Amino acid sequence: MKNLLSFFARNQSLIYKVFLFIVSTLLLIYLLPKGGQFKYNFQKGKPWQYENLYAPFSFSIKKSDEVLKKEQQEIRDNSIPYFDFDTETITDVETNFHDNLDLEYVDSLYTTSKRTVERLGEGVIKEIYANGFSDEILPYDDDKLIYLKRGNEIEERKYSQLFKKRNLDKKVREVVEKNKAEDIQPLLYNLLNESLEPNVKLNNKLTQSSIDAEIKALNPNRGVIEKGGRIIAKGEVVEGDKYQILESLKAEYQSQIWSKNNYLWLLVGYSLLVSLVFLMLFLFLKKYRSDIYHNNTKVTFIFFNVFLMVFLTTLIVKVHSDYVYVIPICILPLILKAFFDPRVGLFVHVLTVLLLGFIVPNSFEYMFLQFIAGIVTILTVSELYKRANLFISVGQITLIYIIGYFAFYVIQEGNIQTIPVENFGYFILCGLATLFAHPLIYFYEKLFGLVSDVSLLELSDTNSKLLKELSNKAPGTFHHSLNVANLAEASANEIGANSMLVRVGALYHDIGKMLNPTMFTENQVNSINSHTELDPKESARIIIDHVIKGIEIARKNNLPDRVIDFIRTHHGTTLVYYFYAKEREIQGKANKEDFIYPGPIPFSKETAILMMADSVEAASKSLKEPSSTIVEELVEKIVNNQMDQGQFLNADITFKEIQLIKRVLKKKLNNIFHLRVEYPE
C-alpha cells in the first residue's frame, strides 16, 4: 500500500494526463454523430473519382430539401382553412336590433311603418347569418374552398359566401329599393351596423393541425434503386439526380451500419481516431512545448477549449446545420496564441477541425474554410492588446470565409444566380462573435491563472502600485529596470520573441531590492558603501537574497508565474564574483557554493534576453570613460562568459539570435553613452 501511494505521488502529473486523455476521448465519442462514415467522398459539381458504383443494397431515393420545401409550401397554399360557426350569435343580434329599433324609430320622421322596418331588418339578419358573418381580413380568394364547423358537423363553403361587413351598405340598399322603402335606408343601415356581431372565426389550431398532418404524410422518397443497379460511372460529374441518389445512399448506409451488431466496432473505430488526435497533441506538447506539457493547468486549458468547440458545433448542428458557420472556430487559435504562441494555436486548431469533420455536413468544404481561416488568424493577429488589431484581423478572417464559400458555391453550382445570400450573414455573425475574444481571455485568466499580452500591458504601467513603490524605495533600481526593459524589448523585437513579456519581466525583475535598497550600489546616494563593514559571505547572501525576496513580493502581489520566471532566472546560477574574490583575498580560499545564485538558469528566449540585458546594463554603469570600442568589448565579454557557464542551455535560443541580441545591446548602449557637444558656460 505504501509503495502504491509512493508511485502515485511520484507520477501524479502523468496519471492526471492519462485521466484527462481518457475523459476527453469518452466525452468526444459521446458527442460524435451516431452513424457510420460513408466510405466515398464526393462533391457536387466534381467528377466521380472512384470506380463505377453499384448499389450494395436496395434503397429509396430521397427527395432533395428544395423539392420537399416546395411540396410543403404547396400543401400550405392549397390547404382548406377551418372556420368555427357560432349558432347562438343570431339570437343576440335580433334582440339588439329590436332594442335599438324601439329607441331610434320615430313615427313622424318616416312614412314606412315600424313593423316594415322590423320585418326588413329581420330578413337581412337571417340572410346574413345563413352562411355566417366574418369581420376578419384574410388573404383568401373569393373562390377559395373553406370548411365551416357547426358543432360536430363540417360543411363546405366558398369564402365568398361568408358575409363581410363592407357589403352591408350594398345589402341594405338592395332591400329598401326592392321594397320601395328608401326613406328608412339610413335608419336600417345604422340599426344593423350597431347590432351585427361576427359569428364565424378562423380556427387556426385546426387549420394548422390539418396542414401538419398532410406534411407528415408527405412521402420523403421519390423512387427506389434496386440492389446491383449502377449509380454512377467513373468520371461522371456528381450533379442533379446523381448527386441526390448518392446522398440517399450515404444516408441509408450511415443508418444501416449503426446497428446493434456492429455498435461496438464503430465505437472502437471512433475511439482510435479520437485517441490518435489527442495523442498527437500530447506528443507535440512534450516534444516542442515541454513547459506547457509539464503544466497540467495549461494542458487542461487546451483540452477544455477543444472540447468546448466540439460541443458548440454539435449543439448547433442538432438545432440547424445551416448555422454551423456562425460558430467562431477561429477564436480558438486566437486565444491560444494570446496565451502561448502561434505554433501551438495553429496545431490545436488543425486537430480540432479534424474532429469537427466527423460532425458537420459538407466536411471537406467546412474543413478547407476553417484551415484557411485559422492560418489567416495566426498570420494576422499580433499584439492583441491593441484593440484595432483584433478588428482588422476579424475583418480579414470574415473576408476569407466569404471568398472561400463563394468559390465553393461557384464550383458546385456553376452559377451565382441562386447563391444563398443569408450564408454571408452567418460569416459576418461569426466575425462579430470572434470579437468576444477579449472578454473571454479575461475570463480564462481568472479561471486558469494564465496571463496574456493584454494583462502584460496592464502590468507594464509604471504607475502601478508595485512599480511606484519600487521607484519610491529604490529609485536607482527602478531607473536600472527601465533601462533594462528598453534594452530587452529592443532585443526581443530583433529576434521575434515576445517583446511585451520581456519588458514586463525586466520592470519587475529586481523588486526584491526594495526590502534593503541601500545595500545595492545604484541606490547609494553618497560614497559610503554599506558592504564595507560586512563579511563578504554576508554581503553575498544579501545580494543573492534579492531574488528570493523578489519572488515572495511578486507572489504576495499576485504577479503571474510568467513574470515571476524572470525574477527567478535573471541571474541564473552565476557567481557573485566581487564578493567571492574578496573572500578569497581575505581568507585565502572561498567556497563557491556560498556565492552562487540559486537559479534556475533561463529556460526561454525571453528570460535569456533579460539575463544578457540586465548584466550588460549593470556593468556599463561602472565604465568611467565609455567609448564605442569599450562598450562593444564589454557586451562581448559578459555575454560570452554567460554562454561559457552554460546559462543558455535550456533557453531554446540559437547562436545567431545571441549575435543579433549582442548587436542590439551594443547599439543601444552606444546611443546612451554617445558624446555630447560641450556647451559654453
Side-chain angles (χ1 to χ4, degrees), residues 168-185:
L168 180 61
D169 185 56
K170 180 182 177 183
K171 186 68 180 175
V172 170
R173 195 182 307 115
E174 289 176 356
V175 169
V176 296
E177 287 177 357
K178 183 178 179 181
N179 291 274
K180 302 186 184 313
E182 287 84 352
D183 63 315
I184 63 164
Q185 180 179 333

Side-chain angles (χ1 to χ4, degrees), residues 268-449:
V268 170
Y270 272 134
S271 301
L272 290 174
L273 291 173
V274 174
S275 299
L276 279 175
V277 170
F278 285 142
L279 183 61
M280 293 305 104
L281 179 54
F282 271 120
L283 291 176
F284 170 81
L285 294 177
K286 187 174 182 180
K287 185 173 178 62
Y288 296 106
R289 295 295 182 272
S290 58
D291 56 322
I292 299 176
Y293 176 79
H294 293 295
N295 188 320
N296 285 339
T297 301
K298 293 179 179 179
V299 174
T300 305
F301 171 72
I302 293 173
F303 273 74
F304 173 78
N305 277 280
V306 173
F307 174 76
L308 181 63
M309 288 302 164
V310 175
F311 173 75
L312 288 175
T313 305
T314 305
L315 195 64
I316 293 298
V317 168
K318 286 182 178 179
V319 173
H320 202 308
S321 60
D322 288 350
Y323 301 150
V324 72
Y325 284 109
V326 176
I327 305 168
I329 300 297
C330 285
I331 209 170
L332 177 62
L334 194 153
I335 287 176
L336 293 178
K337 182 182 177 182
F339 285 114
F340 305 120
D341 61 77
R343 185 187 283 189
V344 172
L346 184 58
F347 192 85
V348 175
H349 175 74
V350 169
L351 293 182
T352 305
V353 173
L354 287 176
L355 290 172
L356 295 178
F358 291 117
I359 301 169
V360 298
N362 299 322
S363 57
F364 175 78
E365 175 186 321
Y366 178 87
M367 291 167 67
F368 183 90
L369 290 177
Q370 296 298 354
F371 283 149
I372 296 298
I375 292 170
V376 170
T377 303
I378 294 298
L379 293 177
T380 59
V381 178
S382 59
E383 298 179 326
L384 194 59
Y385 55 86
K386 295 181 180 178
R387 289 172 294 180
N389 288 359
L390 180 61
F391 283 94
I392 293 169
S393 297
V394 166
Q396 293 171 333
I397 293 165
T398 305
L399 183 62
I400 290 296
Y401 273 132
I402 291 173
I403 293 173
Y405 179 79
F406 177 81
F408 267 106
Y409 190 86
V410 170
I411 290 172
Q412 293 170 0
E413 301 295 335
N415 63 76
I416 60 172
Q417 279 77 23
T418 58
I419 190 167
V421 181
E422 64 273 11
N423 286 354
F424 296 129
Y426 298 153
F427 295 128
I428 294 171
L429 289 175
C430 177
L432 294 174
T434 307
L435 294 174
F436 191 66
H438 265 305
L440 193 59
I441 286 171
Y442 176 80
F443 171 75
Y444 280 148
E445 285 178 338
K446 300 304 178 186
L447 183 63
F448 290 94

Side-chain angles (χ1 to χ4, degrees), residues 445-632:
E445 285 178 338
K446 300 304 178 186
L447 183 63
F448 290 94
L450 301 173
V451 60
S452 67
D453 285 353
V454 179
S455 294
L456 292 175
L457 179 64
E458 295 174 359
L459 291 170
S460 67
D461 183 8
T462 53
N463 286 318
S464 65
K465 180 183 175 183
L466 194 54
L467 291 180
K468 270 207 162 190
E469 188 180 353
L470 176 64
S471 66
N472 291 330
K473 291 183 178 179
T477 299
F478 178 71
H479 185 260
H480 159 73
S481 298
L482 286 176
N483 289 337
V484 173
N486 292 331
L487 292 173
E489 184 178 21
S491 301
N493 283 326
E494 184 69 19
I495 67 169
N498 190 331
S499 58
M500 178 58 70
L501 176 61
V502 77
R503 178 175 183 82
V504 173
L507 290 173
Y508 290 91
H509 79 283
D510 269 345
I511 55 174
K513 293 180 179 179
M514 283 194 299
L515 299 180
N516 214 345
T518 57
M519 301 304 290
F520 301 89
T521 55
E522 67 265 26
N523 298 311
Q524 294 170 359
V525 293
N526 49 46
S527 58
I528 300 173
N529 191 335
S530 303
H531 289 283
T532 53
E533 298 179 0
L534 295 178
D535 179 71
K537 282 186 182 180
E538 181 65 19
S539 295
R541 187 187 62 77
I542 293 171
I543 298 297
I544 291 170
D545 275 356
H546 88 273
V547 173
I548 308 301
K549 300 295 184 186
I551 294 171
E552 292 174 358
I553 294 171
R555 294 201 184 283
K556 186 178 178 182
N557 286 272
N558 297 318
L559 289 185
D561 287 339
R562 290 176 77 186
V563 177
I564 295 175
D565 288 341
F566 288 91
I567 302 173
R568 295 166 55 216
T569 61
H570 74 277
H571 284 296
T573 55
T574 57
L575 187 68
V576 187
Y577 188 78
Y578 177 82
F579 293 110
Y580 170 72
K582 189 175 180 182
E583 172 75 2
R584 196 167 57 181
E585 180 185 336
I586 296 171
Q587 302 294 338
K589 61 177 182 177
N591 183 7
K592 272 193 176 183
E593 298 297 324
D594 296 330
F595 298 88
I596 291 179
Y597 283 97
I601 61 175
F603 45 78
S604 67
K605 290 180 181 180
E606 289 78 14
T607 51
I609 290 170
L610 178 62
M611 173 180 273
M612 291 183 244
D614 179 45
S615 302
V616 166
E617 202 283 333
S620 69
K621 291 294 189 288
S622 63
L623 298 177
K624 292 186 172 68
E625 296 181 3
S627 65
S628 178
T629 304
I630 292 173
V631 167
E632 289 181 7

Side-chain angles (χ1 to χ4, degrees), residues 21-275:
F21 178 89
I22 295 171
V23 170
S24 301
T25 302
L26 292 176
L27 285 174
L28 253 70
I29 292 171
Y30 176 76
L31 291 176
L32 291 178
K34 302 301 184 286
Q37 291 294 318
F38 192 50
K39 58 184 176 181
Y40 300 106
N41 289 316
F42 59 91
Q43 273 188 279
K44 193 174 183 181
K46 290 285 191 72
W48 180 255
Q49 298 175 344
Y50 308 95
E51 295 300 322
N52 295 356
L53 179 62
Y54 298 91
F57 44 78
S58 298
F59 64 94
S60 300
I61 305 172
K62 305 287 185 185
K63 294 176 182 175
S64 66
D65 290 339
E66 292 77 15
V67 171
L68 283 173
K69 286 178 182 177
K70 186 178 179 181
E71 291 182 358
Q72 290 171 4
Q73 189 58 46
E74 286 177 359
I75 288 174
R76 293 188 183 94
D77 294 340
N78 298 324
S79 64
I80 301 176
Y82 285 80
F83 286 83
D84 289 326
F85 187 98
D86 185 0
T87 55
E88 303 295 329
T89 305
I90 188 171
T91 304
D92 297 333
V93 170
E94 288 176 342
T95 302
N96 292 336
F97 176 76
H98 289 121
D99 292 344
N100 292 331
L101 178 63
D102 291 341
L103 291 172
E104 297 185 24
Y105 186 84
V106 179
D107 290 337
S108 58
L109 295 178
Y110 305 104
T111 57
T112 304
S113 66
K114 181 179 179 182
R115 177 64 192 141
T116 302
V117 175
E118 186 177 34
R119 179 177 56 79
L120 293 178
E122 289 174 349
V124 171
I125 291 173
K126 282 186 173 62
E127 192 174 341
I128 287 175
Y129 285 96
N131 290 317
F133 170 40
S134 171
D135 64 351
E136 292 179 299
I137 300 174
L138 299 169
Y140 299 135
D141 296 331
D142 287 343
D143 292 336
K144 176 74 174 178
L145 189 67
I146 65 171
Y147 287 138
L148 208 59
K149 184 174 180 293
R150 298 176 187 248
N152 295 325
E153 296 180 1
I154 294 179
E155 305 170 359
E156 284 189 1
R157 292 281 188 277
K158 286 187 177 180
Y159 183 62
S160 58
Q161 290 180 271
L162 296 181
F163 189 84
K164 315 295 188 304
K165 201 164 189 176
R166 63 176 180 270
N167 298 325
L168 180 61
D169 185 56
K170 180 182 177 183
K171 186 68 180 175
V172 170
R173 195 182 307 115
E174 289 176 356
V175 169
V176 296
E177 287 177 357
K178 183 178 179 181
N179 291 274
K180 302 186 184 313
E182 287 84 352
D183 63 315
I184 63 164
Q185 180 179 333
L187 172 65
L188 185 59
Y189 175 82
N190 289 335
L191 290 172
L192 291 171
N193 189 48
E194 292 174 4
S195 305
L196 292 177
E197 293 290 340
N199 74 324
V200 172
K201 188 175 182 181
L202 179 66
N203 189 326
N204 286 298
K205 187 175 180 181
L206 192 57
T207 303
Q208 187 60 46
S209 297
S210 173
I211 294 172
D212 291 343
E214 286 191 60
I215 290 176
K216 190 175 181 181
L218 198 62
N219 188 357
N221 306 317
R222 62 176 179 81
V224 175
I225 297 291
E226 296 294 337
K227 182 179 179 180
R230 194 175 77 172
I231 296 173
I232 192 169
K234 184 176 182 179
E236 274 192 83
V237 178
V238 180
E239 59 183 357
D241 198 47
K242 298 289 183 185
Y243 176 75
Q244 195 56 40
I245 292 173
L246 284 170
E247 282 288 330
S248 301
L249 174 61
K250 181 179 178 180
E252 190 68 23
Y253 181 86
Q254 292 174 341
S255 173
Q256 287 192 16
I257 197 171
W258 196 260
S259 63
K260 291 182 179 179
N261 296 331
N262 49 21
Y263 183 87
L264 182 61
W265 285 111
L266 287 169
L267 281 181
V268 170
Y270 272 134
S271 301
L272 290 174
L273 291 173
V274 174
S275 299

